């Protein structure tokens, strides 16, 4: 299992469920946009995150 990703915007941890999707500790679905950005799929807000590397890169 991959290590959790830290959401630098609100201090939550994101737990990856696939290469580009995960859930934060509040239950919000997050989509990976780049290595250091994710989008909250509920609010459409962009969050800066610690490194969320793509396995295919």
């Amino acid at each position: 299992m991959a290590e959790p990703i830290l959401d630098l915007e609100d201090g939550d941890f994101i737990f990856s469920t696939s290469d580009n999707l995960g859930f934060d500790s509040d239950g919000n679905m997050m989509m990976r946009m780049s290595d250091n950005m994710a989008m909250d799929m509920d609010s459409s807000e962009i969050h800066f995150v610690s490194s969320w590397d793509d396995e295919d890169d």
Side-chain angles (χ1 to χ4, degrees):
M1 183 172 174
E3 294 197 20
I5 299 113
L6 177 61
D7 184 337
L8 301 173
E9 298 292 316
D10 57 14
D12 288 340
F13 284 100
I14 301 170
F15 301 94
S16 177
T17 57
S18 68
D19 288 341
N20 293 319
L21 287 175
F23 290 89
D24 70 11
S25 52
D26 292 330
N28 299 318
M29 185 166 51
M30 305 293 284
M31 183 171 69
R32 178 186 177 274
M33 303 301 288
S34 69
D35 287 348
N36 295 102
M37 284 199 313
M39 180 187 292
D40 183 331
M41 298 304 291
D42 294 327
S43 67
S44 301
E45 293 177 350
I46 299 294
H47 291 239
F48 290 102
V49 299
S50 64
S51 184
W52 187 344
D53 294 328
D54 186 359
E55 298 290 327
D56 295 333
D57 284 346

